[in-house]
């Protein structure tokens, strides 16, 4: 519906001459991404009141625009919860729980049953099945981490990113970082945030993650055997705990149509009514996504989006975000990082997406080192100290750093291309700046990176498999592995480290797939263990009292 020139009845509207037509403007940069709905005033008082509210909202947004810019210039910290996410199904009905239950691995189902039993809801698992299961388990989750500098280019709606997301065997968690999601021009750097490309990229990610083949669910339960314990699982229970689930579904199950489930009105009976209810459940189930977005956060061109399997969402708590700008004037966010803190079950994870200082002149690597140190120093999740809550990056147990780190290769343009023509990645890597800085201990002490067995990810001709070579000698760029993924902490194992041949940008996207251990408590077993310990203490006290009384009662 086209917007009117004014939202209330005015003198111009009462004239016989109609007002000139107006075009509908784009939403202001920094708005939520949707256009303000402006409707012509109606004679009804409610319509006039609604239009008045719209005008006040528009004026408020105009007033907030300079405040937004000022916050960016002064690098004023945003609230910890200043991010977007899909709404959680915390109050879902029984059918929601049923669908989530089908997505769970065997050990997740047993924990779910225990929680239900503790709440007095009942369970599908009998007590004898959990007798020998320890109260604390180490379980593995598959985490897919991706980074991509998209050079401010707008993606087509049909962009295929399945290779980047490693969709052959879907992970449990996807951590996707972008750099230059908007062009780094003066308007985007110093003006209000342009968040319009975010919705486009999120839609592409959502469609890709939820486009899983209906023929066979591909989820795997990446689990270790139970943690060492005095409890010895029986063979049957152990098999259930570590086996892959064959019934983990929950999204687009089959390409069914509603017509396939139509019921003849003349033959309605109890069985048909039951069939109709089941049909509705299947159709609802088909519409539910496999993956949900738990966080999206943008800082100028840096953007991070984290997606998890739907049944895992409720086990992720304490989400916090910290942004650090190290760009213009040392504080603006055209360069810098977005860090995310969260607990997955009882294990603390931290993901840092960054874009560091560019340049291949001598000494530029020292500026990048300084960026990393600033990010470590200024990343704060909980300014007020809280018990067991992480405050800094190193307060976490599993840490992954991703992004365009911009480290270059200390070789000439010609020599670098000689190594590339021979596909001698190891020889070329010996001259990588980040490798040398790590070896010198200047930064990322104790961090690890996978073996690089792919070509440099920068700088390609757009929509081409060739590196740029037609610029003047003073402006050409030597190919380099600018885009990297590092990890820190025990309990993570790198499964693969590679690049994807997607030619939208002058960078190639990079993917690292990990299995990460998470610590999971079985509530009933933990409660039982604590009760048992208290009983032992009481028995000891009773024994000591009896012994003491025996000394004095001759």
């Amino acid at each position: 519906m086209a917007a009117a020139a004014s939202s209330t009845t005015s003198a111009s509207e009462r004239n016989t001459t109609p007002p000139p037509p107006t075009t509908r403007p784009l939403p202001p940069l920094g708005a939520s991404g949707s256009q303000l709905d402006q409707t012509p005033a109606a004679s009804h008082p409610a319509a006039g009141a609604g239009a008045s509210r719209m005008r006040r909202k528009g004026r408020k947004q105009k007033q907030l625009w300079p405040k937004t810019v000022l916050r960016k210039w002064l690098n004023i910290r945003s609230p910890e919860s200043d991010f977007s996410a899909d709404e959680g199904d915390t109050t879902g009905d029984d059918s929601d729980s049923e669908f989530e239950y089908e997505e769970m691995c065997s050990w997740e189902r047993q924990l779910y049953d225990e929680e239900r039993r503790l709440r007095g809801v009942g369970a599908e698992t009998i007590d004898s099945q959990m007798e020998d299961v320890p109260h604390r388990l180490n379980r593995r989750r598959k985490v897919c981490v991706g980074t991509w500098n998209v050079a401010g280019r707008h993606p087509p709606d049909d962009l295929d990113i399945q290779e980047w997301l490693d969709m052959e065997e879907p992970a449990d968690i996807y951590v996707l970082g972008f750099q230059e999601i908007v062009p780094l021009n003066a308007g985007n750097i110093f003006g209000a945030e342009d968040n319009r490309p975010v919705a486009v990229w999120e839609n592409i990610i959502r469609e890709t993650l939820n486009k899983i083949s209906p023929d066979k669910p591909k989820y795997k339960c990446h689990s270790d055997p139970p943690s060492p314990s005095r409890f010895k699982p029986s063979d049957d229970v152990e098999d259930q705990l570590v086996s892959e689930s064959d019934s983990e579904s929950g999204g687009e199950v089959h390409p069914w149509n509603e017509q396939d489930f139509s019921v003849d009105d003349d033959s309605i009976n109890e069985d048909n009514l039951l069939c109709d209810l089941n049909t509705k459940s299947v159709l609802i189930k088909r519409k539910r996504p496999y993956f949900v977005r738990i966080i999206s956060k943008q800082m100028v061109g840096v953007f991070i989006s984290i997606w998890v399997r739907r049944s895992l969402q409720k086990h992720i708590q304490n989400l916090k975000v910290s942004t650090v700008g190290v760009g213009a004037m040392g504080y603006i966010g055209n360069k810098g990082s977005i860090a995310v803190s969260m607990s997955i079950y009882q294990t603390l994870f931290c993901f840092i997406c960054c874009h560091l200082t560019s340049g291949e002149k001598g000494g530029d690597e020292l500026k990048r080192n300084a960026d990393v140190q600033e990010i470590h120093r200024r990343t704060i999740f909980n300014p007020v100290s809280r018990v067991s809550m992480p405050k800094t990056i190193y307060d976490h147990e599993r840490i992954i750093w991703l992004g365009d780190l911009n480290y270059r290769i200390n070789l000439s343009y010609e020599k670098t291309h000689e190594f590339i023509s021979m596909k001698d990645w190891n020889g070329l890597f010996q001259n990588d700046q980040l490798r040398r800085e790590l070896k010198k201990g200047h930064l990322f002490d104790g961090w690890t990176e996978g073996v690089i067995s792919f070509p440099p990810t920068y700088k390609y001709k757009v929509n081409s498999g060739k590196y740029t070579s037609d610029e003047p000698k003073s402006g050409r760029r030597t190919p380099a592995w600018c885009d990297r993924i590092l990890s820190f902490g025990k309990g993570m194992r790198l499964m693969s480290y590679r690049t994807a041949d997607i030619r939208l940008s002058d960078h190639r996207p990079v993917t690292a797939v990990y299995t990460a251990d998470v610590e999971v408590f079985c509530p009933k077993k933990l409660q039982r263990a604590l009760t048992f310990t208290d009983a032992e203490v009481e028995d000891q006290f009773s024994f000591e009292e009896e012994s003491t009384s025996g000394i004095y009662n001759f």
Side-chain angles (χ1 to χ4, degrees):
M1 180 174 62
S6 172
S7 56
T8 59
T9 304
S10 62
S12 62
E13 288 177 315
R14 291 192 295 268
N15 293 336
T16 56
T17 304
T22 59
T23 58
R24 188 172 186 173
L26 284 172
L29 303 184
S32 59
S34 61
Q35 296 177 338
L36 298 177
D37 292 327
Q38 297 177 326
T39 57
S43 59
H44 196 280
S52 178
R53 283 194 299 271
M54 287 295 183
R55 289 200 309 275
R56 288 197 300 270
K57 183 177 179 182
R59 286 197 300 268
K60 183 178 179 181
Q61 286 188 336
K62 290 180 181 179
Q63 293 169 1
L64 288 176
W65 191 90
K67 292 183 179 179
T68 302
V69 175
L70 186 63
R71 289 177 65 89
K72 178 185 288 189
W73 288 3
L74 298 180
N75 196 34
I76 299 175
R77 185 178 298 277
S78 300
E80 298 169 355
S81 58
D82 182 19
F83 57 84
S84 61
D86 292 344
E87 294 183 2
D89 298 329
T90 55
T91 58
D93 55 21
D94 293 338
S95 61
D96 292 340
S97 300
E98 177 184 348
F99 299 149
E100 290 184 1
Y101 189 82
E102 290 185 6
E103 286 187 342
M104 297 177 186
C105 296
S106 298
W107 63 270
E108 285 182 305
R109 295 181 182 181
Q110 292 182 349
L111 291 176
Y112 176 81
D113 291 342
E114 287 298 300
E115 291 172 356
R116 283 171 58 90
R117 194 196 283 87
L118 287 175
R119 294 195 303 265
V121 182
E124 289 76 10
T125 307
I126 60 175
D127 287 337
S128 60
Q129 289 180 293
M130 294 297 293
E131 281 298 323
D132 295 324
V133 179
H135 67 268
R136 186 174 67 180
L137 306 172
N138 281 336
R139 288 288 163 256
R140 284 182 178 171
R141 285 296 184 185
K142 185 177 179 183
V143 183
C144 179
V145 182
T147 180
W148 192 6
N149 185 323
V150 296
R153 293 180 60 81
H154 190 85
D157 293 335
D158 60 349
L159 180 66
D160 186 355
I161 60 171
Q162 292 193 63
E163 182 185 1
W164 182 37
L165 271 54
D166 192 34
M167 293 303 293
E168 285 296 318
E169 290 187 2
D172 300 295
I173 303 165
Y174 284 86
V175 181
L176 304 176
F178 294 81
Q179 302 81 44
E180 297 187 39
I181 197 170
V182 296
L184 296 185
N185 54 42
N188 286 327
I189 294 174
F190 297 103
E193 206 110 82
D194 181 3
N195 52 21
R196 290 173 293 185
V198 167
V200 180
W201 281 107
E202 286 181 344
N203 183 61
I204 292 172
I205 295 169
R206 190 184 303 276
E207 290 187 354
T208 301
L209 290 178
N210 293 301
K211 194 187 301 180
I212 297 177
S213 171
D215 299 332
K216 179 183 178 182
K218 294 183 178 181
Y219 294 121
K220 288 190 175 181
C221 180
H222 298 269
S223 299
D224 274 330
S227 303
S229 169
R230 62 191 179 94
F231 297 100
K232 176 64 178 176
S234 63
D235 294 337
D236 293 339
V237 175
E238 188 170 6
D239 290 341
Q240 292 174 3
L241 287 171
V242 300
S243 64
E244 297 177 5
S245 175
D246 292 330
S247 59
E248 293 175 346
S249 58
E252 300 178 359
V253 182
H254 293 289
W256 291 330
N257 297 319
E258 294 191 30
Q259 295 92 317
D260 299 334
F261 298 96
S262 59
V263 180
D264 188 358
D265 293 338
D266 297 334
S267 59
I268 292 180
N269 54 37
E270 185 175 351
D271 292 336
N272 286 335
L273 288 175
L274 181 61
C275 176
D276 187 47
L277 289 174
N278 291 336
T279 298
K280 291 180 180 178
S281 297
V282 171
L283 291 174
I284 293 172
K285 177 177 177 180
R286 179 178 178 268
K287 296 176 183 177
R288 291 172 61 85
Y290 287 101
F291 289 90
V292 293
R293 177 178 56 105
I294 62 169
I295 189 167
S296 281
K297 178 65 178 177
Q298 179 185 3
M299 181 186 70
V300 189
V302 182
F303 174 64
I304 188 170
S305 189
I306 302 179
W307 302 68
V308 301
R309 193 155 53 83
R310 182 160 37 85
S311 62
L312 184 61
Q313 181 182 17
K314 62 184 177 183
H315 300 293
I316 296 178
Q317 305 292 334
N318 307 313
L319 277 164
K320 296 289 187 297
V321 172
S322 177
T323 59
V324 175
V326 297
M329 300 181 287
Y331 277 87
I332 302 298
N334 57 307
K335 294 292 190 293
S337 68
I338 304 173
V340 178
S341 170
M342 67 176 71
S343 59
I344 305 177
Y345 287 97
Q346 279 73 47
T347 302
L348 296 173
F349 282 77
C350 182
F351 303 100
I352 306 102
C353 175
C354 77
H355 192 186
L356 305 184
T357 299
S358 60
E360 58 181 42
K361 299 188 300 291
D364 284 343
E365 69 274 15
L366 301 181
K367 298 178 183 178
R368 292 185 271 273
N369 292 356
D371 290 347
V372 173
Q373 292 168 357
E374 277 295 286
I375 290 170
H376 276 293
R377 184 179 68 85
R378 289 162 50 193
T379 297
I380 302 295
F381 296 106
N382 294 284
V384 180
S385 298
R386 301 174 186 172
V387 177
S388 73
M389 294 298 292
K391 184 177 180 180
T392 67
I393 291 174
Y394 282 115
D395 290 338
H396 298 78
E397 299 166 88
R398 320 270 189 266
I399 310 170
I400 295 178
W401 192 301
L402 59 141
D404 181 357
L405 276 64
N406 253 322
Y407 284 94
R408 306 306 172 95
I409 293 173
N410 286 337
L411 288 175
S412 66
Y413 181 89
E414 292 78 15
K415 190 65 176 178
T416 299
H417 275 278
E418 286 183 21
F419 279 100
I420 293 174
S421 63
M422 296 184 293
K423 297 186 178 180
D424 185 1
W425 312 132
N426 184 57
L428 187 59
F429 186 66
Q430 300 305 310
N431 299 279
D432 176 72
Q433 287 181 348
L434 180 56
R435 175 189 175 276
R436 292 188 172 187
E437 296 303 306
L438 285 168
K439 192 173 182 180
K440 294 176 184 176
H442 289 173
L443 73 164
F444 290 119
D445 186 26
W447 291 67
T448 59
E449 182 184 23
V451 176
I452 292 183
S453 57
F454 48 83
T457 58
Y458 174 82
K459 179 181 183 181
Y460 285 90
K461 294 180 180 179
V462 175
N463 296 320
S464 170
K466 297 181 179 180
Y467 293 100
T468 54
S469 58
D470 53 358
E471 296 90 348
K473 188 173 182 180
S474 60
R476 67 186 182 187
R477 294 291 181 266
T478 301
W481 287 291
C482 292
D483 311 278
R484 313 288 275 270
I485 301 174
L486 311 174
S487 64
F488 181 87
K490 299 179 180 179
M492 289 188 293
R493 185 163 69 95
L494 182 65
M495 306 291 289
S496 67
Y497 190 34
R498 57 179 181 75
T499 185
D501 187 21
I502 307 177
R503 303 180 178 185
L504 175 72
S505 164
D506 56 359
H507 289 249
R508 290 292 183 266
V510 174
T511 306
V513 179
Y514 298 88
T515 57
D517 291 344
V518 294
E519 192 173 57
V520 182
F521 288 128
C522 174
K524 186 171 183 179
K525 298 300 294 189
L526 178 61
Q527 184 183 57
R528 188 176 301 173
L530 294 174
T531 304
F532 180 72
T533 302
D534 291 341
E536 283 186 325
V537 173
E538 290 178 4
D539 289 343
Q540 183 66 26
F541 284 156
S542 299
F543 175 76
E544 291 178 356
E545 289 177 0
E546 292 175 0
S547 300
T548 304
S549 62
I551 294 176
Y552 294 101
N553 292 335
F554 289 107

